[in-house]
Amino acid sequence: MPLLKNGKLVADPWIHIADEVAIPSSGPVIVGLVRWCEEKHTLVERKNLVGVRLKAEQTVSEVVADLEHLGVVALAFKSFRDGRAYSTARRLRERYGYKGELRAIGNVLRDQHLFMLRCGFDALEVKEGETEADWQDATDAIS
């Protein structure tokens, strides 16, 4: 998926790894919460960055003690009607002081771009074929 950061489409160096797939020996990876909890000591010892992916129904409290080890926290938007990732993003930034990349994944919609930025997201996984101009137009449409 293309990655939007600072209004620009950029190459994404991170690889999403499913729970049943072996972790590559090099490169930054994003793993699910269950895998993080089971393998965090091994993942932290890797020489490359690691991130965690949280589903909407998973709570940030399970990774708060580990935030210093996480280069990315990817929060999933299951549906445009589900705002839990917004609340989680705000808690990560304001309550827990998370300084790493906060990424929106899943059902990421252009008309919610400003809300995502205001809540602390600094990266968004966008759909194939979307352009920087598409996202800027959506941002400009809201006063």
Side-chain angles (χ1 to χ4, degrees):
M1 286 242 161
L3 186 65
L4 186 74
K5 286 185 82 163
N6 300 316
K8 303 285 183 206
L9 290 175
V10 298
D12 185 2
W14 294 85
I15 301 167
H16 283 274
I17 304 294
D19 289 342
E20 66 280 356
V21 175
I23 303 284
S25 59
S26 64
V29 296
I30 300 173
V31 298
L33 177 62
V34 171
R35 189 164 197 176
W36 171 255
C37 291
E38 292 173 353
E39 301 178 30
K40 69 175 132 187
H41 298 296
T42 305
L43 291 165
V44 168
E45 290 174 1
R46 289 178 78 240
K47 298 201 184 313
N48 299 108
L49 294 171
V50 65
V52 69
R53 182 176 51 252
L54 296 176
K55 296 176 184 174
E57 62 274 8
Q58 295 173 320
T59 63
V60 71
S61 61
E62 298 186 62
V63 296
V64 168
D66 304 322
L67 289 176
E68 66 186 89
H69 301 294
L70 300 173
V72 169
V73 175
L75 302 177
F77 282 84
K78 194 177 199 177
S79 159
F80 72 91
R81 295 175 298 201
D82 189 345
R84 291 178 285 185
Y86 291 113
S87 301
T88 301
R90 295 280 308 234
R91 276 195 300 278
L92 280 166
R93 293 290 192 213
E94 295 174 6
R95 185 178 301 166
Y96 302 117
Y98 181 65
K99 301 288 187 217
E101 181 178 296
L102 196 50
R103 181 181 291 206
I105 63 173
N107 193 16
V108 177
L109 303 175
R110 287 183 292 209
D111 63 342
Q112 297 176 339
H113 185 211
L114 277 179
F115 301 119
M116 290 179 183
L117 294 176
R118 288 178 185 158
C119 288
F121 287 99
D122 53 3
L124 308 133
E125 288 184 4
V126 300
K127 294 177 183 75
E128 291 290 338
E130 291 187 316
T131 67
E132 294 168 8
D134 293 333
W135 284 85
Q136 189 60 51
D137 289 346
T139 301
D140 292 344
I142 300 172
S143 62

PDB file of all heavy atoms in Angstrom, residues 16 26 30 32 34 40 42 49 59 63 65 68-69 73 80 82 89 92 96 100 102 114 116 124 131 135-136 141 143:
ATOM      1  N   HIS A  16       4.481  -5.413   6.715  1.00  0.00           N
ATOM      2  CA  HIS A  16       3.495  -6.020   7.608  1.00  0.00           C
ATOM      3  C   HIS A  16       3.706  -7.532   7.569  1.00  0.00           C
ATOM      4  O   HIS A  16       3.719  -8.132   6.493  1.00  0.00           O
ATOM      5  CB  HIS A  16       2.067  -5.706   7.146  1.00  0.00           C
ATOM      6  CG  HIS A  16       1.622  -4.324   7.488  1.00  0.00           C
ATOM      7  ND1 HIS A  16       1.067  -4.010   8.709  1.00  0.00           N
ATOM      8  CD2 HIS A  16       1.641  -3.181   6.772  1.00  0.00           C
ATOM      9  CE1 HIS A  16       0.755  -2.729   8.721  1.00  0.00           C
ATOM     10  NE2 HIS A  16       1.091  -2.199   7.557  1.00  0.00           N
ATOM     11  N   SER A  26      16.178  -9.257   8.210  1.00  0.00           N
ATOM     12  CA  SER A  26      16.509  -7.830   8.177  1.00  0.00           C
ATOM     13  C   SER A  26      15.298  -7.032   7.710  1.00  0.00           C
ATOM     14  O   SER A  26      14.360  -7.571   7.147  1.00  0.00           O
ATOM     15  CB  SER A  26      17.700  -7.580   7.254  1.00  0.00           C
ATOM     16  OG  SER A  26      17.363  -7.920   5.928  1.00  0.00           O
ATOM     17  N   ILE A  30       6.268  -4.765  10.933  1.00  0.00           N
ATOM     18  CA  ILE A  30       5.115  -4.467  11.772  1.00  0.00           C
ATOM     19  C   ILE A  30       4.401  -5.790  12.015  1.00  0.00           C
ATOM     20  O   ILE A  30       4.054  -6.496  11.060  1.00  0.00           O
ATOM     21  CB  ILE A  30       4.168  -3.460  11.100  1.00  0.00           C
ATOM     22  CG1 ILE A  30       4.886  -2.139  10.821  1.00  0.00           C
ATOM     23  CG2 ILE A  30       2.930  -3.230  11.969  1.00  0.00           C
ATOM     24  CD1 ILE A  30       4.078  -1.138  10.012  1.00  0.00           C
ATOM     25  N   GLY A  32       1.416  -8.066  14.494  1.00  0.00           N
ATOM     26  CA  GLY A  32       0.183  -7.934  15.248  1.00  0.00           C
ATOM     27  C   GLY A  32       0.446  -7.951  16.749  1.00  0.00           C
ATOM     28  O   GLY A  32       1.514  -8.377  17.210  1.00  0.00           O
ATOM     29  N   VAL A  34      -0.818  -9.819  19.175  1.00  0.00           N
ATOM     30  CA  VAL A  34      -0.623 -11.147  19.761  1.00  0.00           C
ATOM     31  C   VAL A  34       0.825 -11.587  19.576  1.00  0.00           C
ATOM     32  O   VAL A  34       1.480 -12.032  20.517  1.00  0.00           O
ATOM     33  CB  VAL A  34      -1.608 -12.173  19.154  1.00  0.00           C
ATOM     34  CG1 VAL A  34      -1.272 -13.581  19.601  1.00  0.00           C
ATOM     35  CG2 VAL A  34      -3.036 -11.813  19.526  1.00  0.00           C
ATOM     36  N   LYS A  40       8.069 -10.466  21.961  1.00  0.00           N
ATOM     37  CA  LYS A  40       8.674  -9.134  22.056  1.00  0.00           C
ATOM     38  C   LYS A  40      10.157  -9.157  22.371  1.00  0.00           C
ATOM     39  O   LYS A  40      10.910  -8.352  21.845  1.00  0.00           O
ATOM     40  CB  LYS A  40       7.905  -8.226  22.992  1.00  0.00           C
ATOM     41  CG  LYS A  40       7.952  -8.535  24.436  1.00  0.00           C
ATOM     42  CD  LYS A  40       7.215  -7.445  25.201  1.00  0.00           C
ATOM     43  CE  LYS A  40       6.262  -8.049  26.171  1.00  0.00           C
ATOM     44  NZ  LYS A  40       5.435  -7.043  26.804  1.00  0.00           N
ATOM     45  N   THR A  42      12.445 -11.349  21.515  1.00  0.00           N
ATOM     46  CA  THR A  42      13.160 -11.691  20.283  1.00  0.00           C
ATOM     47  C   THR A  42      13.096 -10.536  19.289  1.00  0.00           C
ATOM     48  O   THR A  42      14.093 -10.206  18.645  1.00  0.00           O
ATOM     49  CB  THR A  42      12.540 -12.957  19.638  1.00  0.00           C
ATOM     50  OG1 THR A  42      12.540 -14.000  20.599  1.00  0.00           O
ATOM     51  CG2 THR A  42      13.302 -13.378  18.409  1.00  0.00           C
ATOM     52  N   LEU A  49      14.237  -2.086  13.162  1.00  0.00           N
ATOM     53  CA  LEU A  49      13.085  -1.526  13.859  1.00  0.00           C
ATOM     54  C   LEU A  49      11.896  -2.479  13.822  1.00  0.00           C
ATOM     55  O   LEU A  49      11.751  -3.289  12.910  1.00  0.00           O
ATOM     56  CB  LEU A  49      12.683  -0.205  13.212  1.00  0.00           C
ATOM     57  CG  LEU A  49      13.698   0.931  13.330  1.00  0.00           C
ATOM     58  CD1 LEU A  49      13.272   2.099  12.459  1.00  0.00           C
ATOM     59  CD2 LEU A  49      13.836   1.366  14.772  1.00  0.00           C
ATOM     60  N   THR A  59      -6.676  -2.855  22.921  1.00  0.00           N
ATOM     61  CA  THR A  59      -6.380  -1.636  23.668  1.00  0.00           C
ATOM     62  C   THR A  59      -4.888  -1.337  23.697  1.00  0.00           C
ATOM     63  O   THR A  59      -4.056  -2.242  23.699  1.00  0.00           O
ATOM     64  CB  THR A  59      -6.894  -1.727  25.118  1.00  0.00           C
ATOM     65  OG1 THR A  59      -6.211  -2.779  25.778  1.00  0.00           O
ATOM     66  CG2 THR A  59      -8.389  -1.975  25.157  1.00  0.00           C
ATOM     67  N   VAL A  63       0.489  -2.300  25.140  1.00  0.00           N
ATOM     68  CA  VAL A  63       1.817  -1.964  24.614  1.00  0.00           C
ATOM     69  C   VAL A  63       2.431  -0.723  25.268  1.00  0.00           C
ATOM     70  O   VAL A  63       3.556  -0.354  24.934  1.00  0.00           O
ATOM     71  CB  VAL A  63       1.805  -1.779  23.077  1.00  0.00           C
ATOM     72  CG1 VAL A  63       1.448  -3.064  22.372  1.00  0.00           C
ATOM     73  CG2 VAL A  63       0.910  -0.638  22.657  1.00  0.00           C
ATOM     74  N   ALA A  65       3.843  -0.094  28.059  1.00  0.00           N
ATOM     75  CA  ALA A  65       5.151  -0.309  28.691  1.00  0.00           C
ATOM     76  C   ALA A  65       6.255  -0.552  27.660  1.00  0.00           C
ATOM     77  O   ALA A  65       7.437  -0.427  27.980  1.00  0.00           O
ATOM     78  CB  ALA A  65       5.080  -1.488  29.650  1.00  0.00           C
ATOM     79  N   GLU A  68       8.793   2.507  23.998  1.00  0.00           N
ATOM     80  CA  GLU A  68      10.170   2.904  23.669  1.00  0.00           C
ATOM     81  C   GLU A  68      10.813   1.973  22.644  1.00  0.00           C
ATOM     82  O   GLU A  68      11.768   2.356  21.971  1.00  0.00           O
ATOM     83  CB  GLU A  68      11.024   2.935  24.929  1.00  0.00           C
ATOM     84  CG  GLU A  68      11.215   1.557  25.547  1.00  0.00           C
ATOM     85  CD  GLU A  68      11.948   1.599  26.873  1.00  0.00           C
ATOM     86  OE1 GLU A  68      11.257   1.743  27.893  1.00  0.00           O
ATOM     87  OE2 GLU A  68      13.188   1.492  26.857  1.00  0.00           O
ATOM     88  N   HIS A  69      10.289   0.776  22.484  1.00  0.00           N
ATOM     89  CA  HIS A  69      10.842  -0.201  21.543  1.00  0.00           C
ATOM     90  C   HIS A  69      10.146  -0.171  20.185  1.00  0.00           C
ATOM     91  O   HIS A  69      10.579  -0.862  19.267  1.00  0.00           O
ATOM     92  CB  HIS A  69      10.719  -1.614  22.116  1.00  0.00           C
ATOM     93  CG  HIS A  69      11.406  -1.797  23.417  1.00  0.00           C
ATOM     94  ND1 HIS A  69      12.778  -1.719  23.572  1.00  0.00           N
ATOM     95  CD2 HIS A  69      10.910  -2.039  24.653  1.00  0.00           C
ATOM     96  CE1 HIS A  69      13.090  -1.919  24.835  1.00  0.00           C
ATOM     97  NE2 HIS A  69      11.971  -2.106  25.514  1.00  0.00           N
ATOM     98  N   VAL A  73       3.393   2.488  15.531  1.00  0.00           N
ATOM     99  CA  VAL A  73       2.169   1.877  16.032  1.00  0.00           C
ATOM    100  C   VAL A  73       1.142   2.111  14.926  1.00  0.00           C
ATOM    101  O   VAL A  73       0.844   3.252  14.574  1.00  0.00           O
ATOM    102  CB  VAL A  73       1.697   2.482  17.372  1.00  0.00           C
ATOM    103  CG1 VAL A  73       0.356   1.879  17.777  1.00  0.00           C
ATOM    104  CG2 VAL A  73       2.734   2.264  18.463  1.00  0.00           C
ATOM    105  N   PHE A  80     -15.555   3.248   8.521  1.00  0.00           N
ATOM    106  CA  PHE A  80     -15.579   4.701   8.697  1.00  0.00           C
ATOM    107  C   PHE A  80     -16.407   5.099   9.913  1.00  0.00           C
ATOM    108  O   PHE A  80     -16.259   6.187  10.450  1.00  0.00           O
ATOM    109  CB  PHE A  80     -16.093   5.406   7.435  1.00  0.00           C
ATOM    110  CG  PHE A  80     -17.565   5.235   7.197  1.00  0.00           C
ATOM    111  CD1 PHE A  80     -18.462   6.156   7.703  1.00  0.00           C
ATOM    112  CD2 PHE A  80     -18.038   4.157   6.468  1.00  0.00           C
ATOM    113  CE1 PHE A  80     -19.826   6.009   7.482  1.00  0.00           C
ATOM    114  CE2 PHE A  80     -19.394   4.004   6.241  1.00  0.00           C
ATOM    115  CZ  PHE A  80     -20.285   4.925   6.748  1.00  0.00           C
ATOM    116  N   ASP A  82     -16.300   3.556  12.825  1.00  0.00           N
ATOM    117  CA  ASP A  82     -15.626   3.124  14.045  1.00  0.00           C
ATOM    118  C   ASP A  82     -14.495   4.095  14.372  1.00  0.00           C
ATOM    119  O   ASP A  82     -13.466   4.105  13.716  1.00  0.00           O
ATOM    120  CB  ASP A  82     -15.082   1.706  13.846  1.00  0.00           C
ATOM    121  CG  ASP A  82     -14.561   1.097  15.125  1.00  0.00           C
ATOM    122  OD1 ASP A  82     -14.351   1.835  16.110  1.00  0.00           O
ATOM    123  OD2 ASP A  82     -14.345  -0.125  15.142  1.00  0.00           O
ATOM    124  N   ALA A  89      -5.187   6.956  19.193  1.00  0.00           N
ATOM    125  CA  ALA A  89      -4.123   7.850  18.732  1.00  0.00           C
ATOM    126  C   ALA A  89      -3.928   9.012  19.702  1.00  0.00           C
ATOM    127  O   ALA A  89      -2.792   9.348  20.067  1.00  0.00           O
ATOM    128  CB  ALA A  89      -4.456   8.378  17.332  1.00  0.00           C
ATOM    129  N   LEU A  92      -2.207   7.788  22.852  1.00  0.00           N
ATOM    130  CA  LEU A  92      -0.781   7.515  22.619  1.00  0.00           C
ATOM    131  C   LEU A  92       0.043   8.798  22.621  1.00  0.00           C
ATOM    132  O   LEU A  92       1.118   8.854  23.216  1.00  0.00           O
ATOM    133  CB  LEU A  92      -0.584   6.771  21.300  1.00  0.00           C
ATOM    134  CG  LEU A  92      -0.842   5.285  21.349  1.00  0.00           C
ATOM    135  CD1 LEU A  92      -0.963   4.710  19.940  1.00  0.00           C
ATOM    136  CD2 LEU A  92       0.274   4.585  22.115  1.00  0.00           C
ATOM    137  N   TYR A  96       0.436   9.204  26.822  1.00  0.00           N
ATOM    138  CA  TYR A  96       1.629   8.362  26.944  1.00  0.00           C
ATOM    139  C   TYR A  96       2.861   8.948  26.277  1.00  0.00           C
ATOM    140  O   TYR A  96       3.940   8.377  26.375  1.00  0.00           O
ATOM    141  CB  TYR A  96       1.336   6.965  26.397  1.00  0.00           C
ATOM    142  CG  TYR A  96       0.177   6.307  27.103  1.00  0.00           C
ATOM    143  CD1 TYR A  96      -0.985   5.975  26.416  1.00  0.00           C
ATOM    144  CD2 TYR A  96       0.227   6.047  28.466  1.00  0.00           C
ATOM    145  CE1 TYR A  96      -2.058   5.388  27.068  1.00  0.00           C
ATOM    146  CE2 TYR A  96      -0.843   5.463  29.130  1.00  0.00           C
ATOM    147  CZ  TYR A  96      -1.980   5.134  28.420  1.00  0.00           C
ATOM    148  OH  TYR A  96      -3.039   4.565  29.074  1.00  0.00           O
ATOM    149  N   GLY A 100       7.008   8.096  18.262  1.00  0.00           N
ATOM    150  CA  GLY A 100       7.256   7.364  17.018  1.00  0.00           C
ATOM    151  C   GLY A 100       6.164   7.599  15.994  1.00  0.00           C
ATOM    152  O   GLY A 100       5.242   8.395  16.201  1.00  0.00           O
ATOM    153  N   LEU A 102       2.903   7.153  14.048  1.00  0.00           N
ATOM    154  CA  LEU A 102       1.554   6.690  14.328  1.00  0.00           C
ATOM    155  C   LEU A 102       0.848   6.587  12.978  1.00  0.00           C
ATOM    156  O   LEU A 102       0.660   7.595  12.294  1.00  0.00           O
ATOM    157  CB  LEU A 102       0.849   7.677  15.252  1.00  0.00           C
ATOM    158  CG  LEU A 102      -0.404   7.227  15.957  1.00  0.00           C
ATOM    159  CD1 LEU A 102      -0.217   5.894  16.671  1.00  0.00           C
ATOM    160  CD2 LEU A 102      -0.822   8.281  16.961  1.00  0.00           C
ATOM    161  N   LEU A 114      -8.026  15.261   7.906  1.00  0.00           N
ATOM    162  CA  LEU A 114      -7.745  16.291   8.910  1.00  0.00           C
ATOM    163  C   LEU A 114      -7.975  15.787  10.328  1.00  0.00           C
ATOM    164  O   LEU A 114      -7.211  16.105  11.237  1.00  0.00           O
ATOM    165  CB  LEU A 114      -8.598  17.540   8.669  1.00  0.00           C
ATOM    166  CG  LEU A 114      -8.057  18.508   7.629  1.00  0.00           C
ATOM    167  CD1 LEU A 114      -9.013  19.684   7.464  1.00  0.00           C
ATOM    168  CD2 LEU A 114      -6.682  18.995   7.965  1.00  0.00           C
ATOM    169  N   MET A 116      -7.624  12.752  11.342  1.00  0.00           N
ATOM    170  CA  MET A 116      -6.503  11.858  11.656  1.00  0.00           C
ATOM    171  C   MET A 116      -5.269  12.664  12.063  1.00  0.00           C
ATOM    172  O   MET A 116      -4.602  12.335  13.044  1.00  0.00           O
ATOM    173  CB  MET A 116      -6.203  10.947  10.469  1.00  0.00           C
ATOM    174  CG  MET A 116      -7.272   9.918  10.239  1.00  0.00           C
ATOM    175  SD  MET A 116      -6.910   8.888   8.811  1.00  0.00           S
ATOM    176  CE  MET A 116      -8.372   7.865   8.778  1.00  0.00           C
ATOM    177  N   LEU A 124      -0.345   7.538   6.783  1.00  0.00           N
ATOM    178  CA  LEU A 124      -1.591   6.865   6.422  1.00  0.00           C
ATOM    179  C   LEU A 124      -1.312   5.910   5.278  1.00  0.00           C
ATOM    180  O   LEU A 124      -0.686   6.301   4.291  1.00  0.00           O
ATOM    181  CB  LEU A 124      -2.641   7.878   5.952  1.00  0.00           C
ATOM    182  CG  LEU A 124      -2.906   9.037   6.885  1.00  0.00           C
ATOM    183  CD1 LEU A 124      -2.916  10.335   6.131  1.00  0.00           C
ATOM    184  CD2 LEU A 124      -4.210   8.846   7.577  1.00  0.00           C
ATOM    185  N   THR A 131      -3.694   9.774  -5.230  1.00  0.00           N
ATOM    186  CA  THR A 131      -2.564  10.681  -5.420  1.00  0.00           C
ATOM    187  C   THR A 131      -2.473  11.682  -4.276  1.00  0.00           C
ATOM    188  O   THR A 131      -3.420  11.845  -3.501  1.00  0.00           O
ATOM    189  CB  THR A 131      -2.718  11.468  -6.735  1.00  0.00           C
ATOM    190  OG1 THR A 131      -3.853  12.348  -6.612  1.00  0.00           O
ATOM    191  CG2 THR A 131      -2.903  10.541  -7.932  1.00  0.00           C
ATOM    192  N   TRP A 135      -5.593  13.703  -1.842  1.00  0.00           N
ATOM    193  CA  TRP A 135      -5.594  13.925  -0.403  1.00  0.00           C
ATOM    194  C   TRP A 135      -5.560  15.417  -0.082  1.00  0.00           C
ATOM    195  O   TRP A 135      -6.226  15.866   0.839  1.00  0.00           O
ATOM    196  CB  TRP A 135      -4.433  13.173   0.252  1.00  0.00           C
ATOM    197  CG  TRP A 135      -4.767  11.726   0.334  1.00  0.00           C
ATOM    198  CD1 TRP A 135      -4.597  10.785  -0.634  1.00  0.00           C
ATOM    199  CD2 TRP A 135      -5.405  11.077   1.421  1.00  0.00           C
ATOM    200  NE1 TRP A 135      -5.084   9.579  -0.201  1.00  0.00           N
ATOM    201  CE2 TRP A 135      -5.578   9.724   1.052  1.00  0.00           C
ATOM    202  CE3 TRP A 135      -5.843  11.480   2.671  1.00  0.00           C
ATOM    203  CZ2 TRP A 135      -6.173   8.800   1.892  1.00  0.00           C
ATOM    204  CZ3 TRP A 135      -6.423  10.546   3.509  1.00  0.00           C
ATOM    205  CH2 TRP A 135      -6.599   9.218   3.114  1.00  0.00           C
ATOM    206  N   GLN A 136      -4.814  16.193  -0.846  1.00  0.00           N
ATOM    207  CA  GLN A 136      -4.772  17.633  -0.604  1.00  0.00           C
ATOM    208  C   GLN A 136      -6.120  18.271  -0.898  1.00  0.00           C
ATOM    209  O   GLN A 136      -6.579  19.126  -0.153  1.00  0.00           O
ATOM    210  CB  GLN A 136      -3.671  18.294  -1.443  1.00  0.00           C
ATOM    211  CG  GLN A 136      -3.436  19.750  -1.085  1.00  0.00           C
ATOM    212  CD  GLN A 136      -3.026  19.927   0.361  1.00  0.00           C
ATOM    213  OE1 GLN A 136      -2.118  19.280   0.858  1.00  0.00           O
ATOM    214  NE2 GLN A 136      -3.724  20.805   1.078  1.00  0.00           N
ATOM    215  N   ALA A 141     -10.941  20.978   1.147  1.00  0.00           N
ATOM    216  CA  ALA A 141     -12.400  21.092   1.090  1.00  0.00           C
ATOM    217  C   ALA A 141     -13.015  21.400   2.446  1.00  0.00           C
ATOM    218  O   ALA A 141     -14.154  21.827   2.529  1.00  0.00           O
ATOM    219  CB  ALA A 141     -12.990  19.811   0.525  1.00  0.00           C
ATOM    220  N   SER A 143     -13.009  23.653   5.795  1.00  0.00           N
ATOM    221  CA  SER A 143     -12.494  24.930   6.298  1.00  0.00           C
ATOM    222  C   SER A 143     -12.123  24.822   7.765  1.00  0.00           C
ATOM    223  O   SER A 143     -12.547  23.938   8.456  1.00  0.00           O
ATOM    224  CB  SER A 143     -13.528  26.017   6.095  1.00  0.00           C
ATOM    225  OG  SER A 143     -14.695  25.726   6.825  1.00  0.00           O
TER     226      SER A 143
END
